[in-house]
Amino acid sequence: FMYYEKNVKLKKGTTEYYLDSVTTPTKPYVNMDFGMGTGQHPAISMTQHAANKYCQWLSAKTGHFYRLPTEAEWEYVARAGTRTAYSWGDDPGTTNANCRTCAPHISHKSYKVGKYKPNPWGLFDVHGNVWEWVEDCWNKAHAGAPADGSARTEGKCRYRVTRSGSW
């Protein structure tokens, strides 16, 4: 839908082409899934700006407001009411998520969404699989973070925070 075949024919009687090279996106030079899969696989190779733009598009499409979570919101949802490092306990185990320290062998790839059981609130792949953008600016430590769960808007805002994931 995004990359249509452009009409590159000459305009009749001129040396000008019918070509819109400024407003039309070009096809990527490489497959942007890098062999990790599409369809039921999570989106990868996305900037935080692109993730925010997707939230804007989804909001316009559905009539419901969507945004990236704050880091505090992500942590709250990831633990799903538990007080442990992961929603399933403090030990990453080997059958709970796709990550470097919690699988029998490192896959170096994303898995299809839903391969592992959901957290107690029914959310899949909160821990492991791919990195997930949050709204916060990067800071070296959590000291000084807002106590109300809002996004941290000071610090190195050129860099943004990701949570979860391995790839």
Side-chain angles (χ1 to χ4, degrees):
F1 78 97
M2 226 166 111
Y3 310 111
Y4 64 89
E5 293 300 319
K6 298 176 184 175
N7 182 357
V8 292
K9 296 179 182 174
L10 280 172
K11 290 181 181 179
K12 193 171 188 174
T14 72
T15 58
E16 295 179 25
Y17 286 92
Y18 290 107
L19 182 63
D20 186 355
S21 63
V22 177
T23 60
T24 304
T26 58
K27 289 183 181 179
Y29 296 111
V30 297
N31 185 348
M32 295 306 291
D33 75 350
F34 300 101
M36 291 195 195
T38 59
Q40 294 179 336
H41 287 262
I44 62 169
S45 302
M46 184 181 295
T47 64
Q48 193 211 37
H49 177 74
N52 275 316
K53 288 297 182 186
Y54 177 77
C55 290
Q56 288 176 357
W57 172 84
L58 187 60
S59 296
K61 187 84 172 162
T62 64
H64 300 285
F65 179 70
Y66 292 91
R67 63 171 173 78
L68 295 178
T70 67
E71 186 173 12
E73 290 168 338
W74 187 95
E75 289 288 343
Y76 179 74
V77 168
R79 287 184 174 79
T82 67
R83 295 189 180 276
T84 54
Y86 305 95
S87 63
W88 60 81
D90 286 320
D91 182 7
T94 59
T95 61
N96 298 309
N98 175 27
C99 60
R100 291 184 189 124
T101 59
C102 56
H105 39 73
I106 299 172
S107 69
H108 296 287
K109 291 188 175 190
S110 69
Y111 287 170
K112 287 183 179 180
V113 173
K115 177 176 172 53
Y116 298 98
K117 66 182 180 180
N119 75 7
W121 292 350
L123 299 172
F124 289 91
D125 305 315
V126 182
H127 292 287
N129 224 6
V130 297
W131 292 104
E132 300 167 6
W133 288 111
V134 297
E135 192 59 39
D136 297 59
C137 297
W138 172 256
N139 283 272
K140 199 171 193 175
H142 288 288
D148 64 359
S150 60
R152 197 160 192 184
T153 57
E154 82 289 335
K156 293 186 178 181
C157 292
R158 179 176 178 205
Y159 304 103
R160 296 297 180 143
V161 177
T162 55
R163 301 301 293 161
S164 179
S166 280
W167 320 115

